[in-house]
Amino acid sequence: MFSIETFHRDGFDIVALKDNDSGAQVEIVPAYGAMLHAFNIPYQETLLNIIDNYVNLEDYKSNMAEYFKSAKLSPFACRMPGGEYKWEGKQYTVQKAVKPGSCIHGLLYDVAFTVEKTHADEKSATVTLRYQYNGADDGYPFPYDCEVQYSLQPGIRLQLTTTILNRSSETIPLMDGWHPYFTTGTPIDDMELQFASGQIVEFNAQLIPTGGVLPYTRFQEATPLEGIPLDNSFLLDLSQHTSSCTLRDPKKHIAITFYPDHSYPVLQIYIPPHRRSIAIENLSGAPNAFNNEIGLIFLPAAESRVFTTAISAISW
């Protein structure tokens, strides 16, 4: 049986989704970018949080703009140089930036989502969140609704579904993603990564895509991460495997597996300098998609688009 609890802890108002049989628990913070705060899984007769989160609200306020941990990325993700792009023959400049000229990860990463609905039964525990963007940024004057649904399911599986509804009177540019960091407490250099991709997006020295794609097969088999720097985008071959990405901890015998559907064909991997966690980001397009159009979505007026991924975690 599943259940839902709400509580306040460390400065956050949290919605917790619980699997009362396995003990697994997911914690979401609606008020700060629909943030995934915890995914607690059973491990050696206790619970282990596999999400690298913020310790408290003060930590969030001090470090959010550096790491964007588990934030919703919309209506674009990753870097957009100067926040500039051209759409339907008109030049736009996004105003929201972490510092002047540094536009990254969209417009919703720190906004307050509202809880629209919660439901729990014998099959799942689900919370649905919503944010109505009204076009306030001159660089993206297109109103739309962003609905985010977290659903904890049997088998220690968390499904995330995002629905974007275009409330503008015209077609709008769009990409979608989210930015979780994962950890088991084991250093990343002692872990392995495998994902179904034979192509890497070519970046320039500023980590902006050139528009090209190069062959790359290093992670088609489980590969130790020791000493490997990663801040790259890969094009997934979603037909290769049932799961498209697995992070393994051979020391603690934990495997975290990701199941994006065809709405998320891009996998962005980032290992921060401290190498204690790894960001595994499901994206609908490549960084700077508003300019290079790799995966860019053209969403007509009054239409919606659904993006779905899932995560499961097991110990053996």
Side-chain angles (χ1 to χ4, degrees):
M1 189 67 182
F2 292 83
S3 62
I4 298 175
E5 180 184 355
T6 60
F7 52 86
H8 184 85
R9 188 182 66 212
D10 300 321
F12 297 120
D13 290 320
I14 294 170
V15 179
L17 311 179
K18 296 184 175 184
D19 180 347
N20 299 316
D21 294 328
S22 71
Q25 178 171 312
V26 171
E27 298 178 6
I28 300 109
V29 181
Y32 296 97
M35 181 171 61
L36 176 62
H37 188 59
F39 188 0
N40 296 299
I41 66 168
Y43 177 72
Q44 293 186 348
E45 300 183 355
T46 185
L47 291 177
L48 175 69
N49 183 14
I50 61 172
I51 301 298
D52 180 9
N53 62 11
Y54 298 101
V55 175
N56 50 38
L57 183 56
E58 181 179 352
D59 181 24
Y60 171 88
K61 291 180 177 179
S62 298
N63 296 300
M64 182 280 300
E66 181 175 0
Y67 293 109
F68 298 89
K69 292 181 184 179
S70 294
K72 183 67 210 168
L73 310 182
S74 176
F76 63 90
C78 304
R79 302 168 185 86
M80 184 190 298
E84 297 179 349
Y85 67 99
K86 184 177 288 187
W87 178 250
E88 301 292 347
K90 184 178 178 180
Q91 189 71 30
Y92 293 92
T93 302
V94 175
Q95 302 302 301
K96 187 169 186 173
V98 294
K99 57 185 177 180
S102 181
C103 294
I104 186 170
H105 293 327
L107 304 172
L108 307 190
Y109 52 77
D110 59 353
V111 303
F113 282 69
T114 59
V115 177
E116 293 287 298
K117 183 171 59 176
T118 60
H119 178 76
D121 55 24
E122 69 279 0
K123 296 181 180 179
S124 65
T126 302
V127 59
T128 303
L129 313 174
R130 183 183 301 275
Y131 182 79
Q132 291 189 310
Y133 173 74
N134 290 321
D137 193 304
D138 290 341
Y140 196 82
F142 314 113
Y144 71 96
D145 287 356
C146 179
E147 180 183 279
V148 178
Q149 184 181 87
Y150 289 92
S151 182
L152 181 59
Q153 301 171 348
I156 313 178
R157 177 185 172 98
L158 174 64
Q159 181 168 302
L160 297 94
T161 304
T162 299
T163 303
I164 303 295
L165 171 65
N166 180 4
R167 291 191 289 108
S168 172
S169 60
E170 58 189 298
T171 298
I172 63 174
L174 179 70
M175 72 176 290
D176 190 84
W178 68 300
H179 203 289
Y181 287 76
F182 295 89
T183 178
T184 62
T186 297
I188 293 301
D189 283 338
D190 294 328
M191 300 182 77
E192 300 173 349
L193 185 65
Q194 179 178 6
F195 54 84
S197 173
Q199 294 179 306
I200 188 172
V201 177
E202 184 181 45
F203 283 2
N204 63 20
Q206 290 72 45
L207 300 179
I208 304 299
T210 65
V213 177
L214 303 173
Y216 190 94
T217 59
R218 182 173 194 170
F219 291 100
Q220 287 189 349
E221 302 297 332
T223 301
L225 287 168
E226 183 178 5
I228 299 176
L230 282 172
D231 192 356
N232 301 94
S233 291
F234 304 89
L235 302 186
L236 289 171
D237 181 354
L238 295 170
S239 67
Q240 277 195 35
H241 302 286
T242 302
S243 62
S244 60
C245 180
T246 299
L247 177 69
R248 296 186 183 89
D249 180 344
K251 290 190 170 183
K252 290 187 175 177
H253 301 286
I254 294 172
I256 304 169
T257 304
F258 306 82
Y259 304 89
D261 71 4
H262 285 78
S263 62
Y264 286 129
V266 177
L267 189 69
Q268 175 80 15
I269 307 290
Y270 170 59
I271 302 177
H274 58 65
R275 300 187 71 84
R276 295 190 299 272
S277 62
I278 181 171
I280 300 178
E281 309 164 40
N282 291 142
L283 305 178
S284 66
N288 202 27
F290 278 29
N291 289 299
N292 58 48
E293 297 192 1
I294 300 175
L296 182 64
I297 294 167
F298 298 71
L299 186 62
E303 293 194 10
S304 61
R305 182 66 67 94
V306 178
F307 307 89
T308 303
T309 188
I311 309 164
S312 69
I314 61 170
S315 57
W316 73 92

